[in-house]
Amino acid sequence: MQSPTKEELEESIKELTEYKNRLEKEVVTISNKLKMPKEKINAIIKSHSELNQIKIILSKLNKQKKNVTSSLIA
């Protein structure tokens, strides 16, 4: 399997970040409608399994992008 290009990684990071932001906004919107305290909303976001998985994947993609960029410079 061929390694992704820097552009492909950037596009994936961008799309996944946008999805993460939409998901967080949705959680906040619903929580606000339920009149939940801000601390509770933050706790929900921190413990949200899908958001946590997305953050892990984004971290891995950013490391991979850094490695690809480093190998292009070298």
Side-chain angles (χ1 to χ4, degrees):
M1 185 170 147
Q2 187 176 351
S3 295
T5 64
K6 179 183 173 198
E7 291 78 20
E8 291 170 331
L9 287 168
E10 287 174 346
E11 183 64 26
S12 295
I13 291 168
K14 178 184 171 223
E15 289 180 13
L16 198 53
T17 300
E18 288 172 357
Y19 174 67
K20 179 183 79 66
N21 291 340
R22 280 194 315 270
L23 190 55
E24 285 177 341
K25 185 177 178 182
E26 185 177 312
V27 168
V28 169
T29 300
I30 292 169
S31 298
N32 283 333
K33 286 181 181 179
L34 296 171
K35 300 185 189 292
M36 297 176 91
K38 188 155 185 79
E39 299 81 28
K40 178 74 173 173
I41 296 170
N42 290 335
I44 291 169
I45 289 173
K46 282 185 179 182
S47 66
H48 195 285
S49 62
E50 189 173 0
L51 284 171
N52 289 331
Q53 190 66 28
I54 291 169
K55 289 174 187 175
I56 291 168
I57 293 168
L58 280 170
S59 176
K60 290 178 182 179
L61 286 172
N62 280 313
K63 286 178 187 174
Q64 191 174 359
K65 178 183 157 194
K66 183 179 175 184
N67 290 339
V68 167
T69 304
S70 298
S71 67
L72 291 175
I73 295 172

